[in-house]
Amino acid sequence: MTTRLWAILPAAGVGRRMGSAVPKQYLELAGRTVIEHTLDLFVSHERIAGVVVALGAEDGYWDATAYAGHPRVRRAPGGAERCHSVLNALASLEGQADADDWVLVHDAARPCLRPDDLDRLIDSLLDDAVGGLLGIPVRDTMKRAGAGERIDTTVDRSSLWHAYTPQMFRLGLLRRALQEALEAGDLVTDDASAIERLGLAPRLIEGHADNIKITRAEDLPLAHFYLQRQGRIS
């Protein structure tokens, strides 16, 4: 049986809104919402079988997007934390996806993922025993703070990476990893952390720093610039 690829976008948890009444994934970016830009690459990608968006029950914005009702996009219930949302999205694929299928989990508020970075991640990990994620090596000097926000020590950056998304793992493995983490009361903040709890070492695939996550108001014009530079908007 052919191994397929699926994409999951956890988009629940609308509490962090950057001072706006609109959740960050629905903020306007070049005439469209952030999440629509994010979905573009996955929905149009010929190697991805389908996309699951995990949304909170209170989400009143999704139905107005271009991808609501799209035949390649399904909605799953979001959870209290990112890990719950991803697990719910995995459960929604029951009966359609196999345990050995690959799942790409990507932040809904990362609209600037480059197509070549997505392809590099997929090509690098299809035969990997564990899976992995996009990231970039840390370039800046890193400090660990102590009491009173004063420097406690300077951290060796030579082996440090910024963890990005997508993060790509086998469906069955990721489901087991998340279930075990939650049973232990560990609300892991990314999928790689859940896999690491099993004693496995996900592989880091170097991407580009313009794969930013929208977390502050000033990120929107920066994302606009990056999308323009990539030729995805005019």
Side-chain angles (χ1 to χ4, degrees):
M1 185 174 294
T2 303
T3 301
R4 292 164 296 179
L5 294 102
W6 306 85
I8 289 175
L9 272 66
V14 298
R16 291 169 281 186
R17 295 179 173 177
M18 303 189 307
S20 169
V22 179
K24 59 188 177 183
Q25 63 266 30
Y26 296 114
L27 292 173
E28 190 272 333
L29 175 60
R32 304 172 70 206
T33 61
V34 168
I35 196 171
E36 287 173 313
H37 288 287
T38 306
L39 279 164
D40 285 345
L41 290 185
F42 296 98
V43 174
S44 63
H45 201 290
E46 62 182 11
R47 300 166 73 182
I48 293 176
V51 183
V52 183
V53 182
L55 300 165
E58 75 288 355
D59 189 305
Y61 299 89
W62 170 252
D63 288 343
T65 68
Y67 286 114
H70 192 285
R72 285 173 51 79
V73 180
R74 68 172 64 191
R75 177 174 178 166
E81 301 292 340
R82 182 183 188 279
C83 48
H84 299 107
S85 293
V86 174
L87 199 53
N88 289 346
L90 294 173
S92 77
L93 290 170
E94 186 75 30
Q96 186 172 3
D98 299 318
D100 286 338
D101 283 353
W102 288 100
V103 174
L104 295 148
V105 185
H106 187 62
D107 296 325
R110 285 190 191 271
C112 302
L113 171 65
R114 296 190 186 195
D116 56 337
D117 280 353
L118 177 57
D119 287 334
R120 184 183 309 109
L121 180 74
I122 293 171
D123 291 338
S124 300
L125 297 178
L126 274 178
D127 294 323
D128 195 271
V130 177
L133 63 154
L134 281 181
I136 60 169
V138 170
R139 310 295 187 191
D140 301 314
T141 300
M142 303 297 291
K143 305 289 185 182
R144 178 177 289 112
E149 296 186 349
R150 294 187 177 274
I151 294 172
D152 179 68
T153 186
T154 298
V155 180
D156 179 12
R157 69 184 182 193
S158 62
S159 61
L160 295 180
W161 285 59
H162 295 284
Y164 285 178
T165 66
Q167 302 195 357
M168 177 174 160
F169 300 102
R170 300 276 187 182
L171 188 153
L173 176 65
L174 180 57
R175 181 174 54 206
R176 177 167 70 91
L178 289 170
Q179 287 173 338
E180 291 190 13
L182 290 175
E183 288 169 3
D186 187 357
L187 299 177
V188 289
T189 56
D190 76 341
D191 312 289
S193 298
I195 300 296
E196 292 166 50
R197 291 186 76 261
L198 300 179
L200 301 173
R203 183 178 172 192
L204 288 157
I205 306 299
E206 186 167 357
H208 288 82
D210 55 6
N211 184 13
I212 62 170
K213 186 176 182 179
I214 305 297
T215 57
R216 299 174 296 181
E218 57 264 36
D219 293 332
L220 285 169
L222 184 58
H224 187 284
F225 169 74
Y226 286 148
L227 288 174
Q228 204 168 39
R229 191 172 68 175
Q230 292 176 21
R232 293 172 57 188
I233 62 172
S234 56

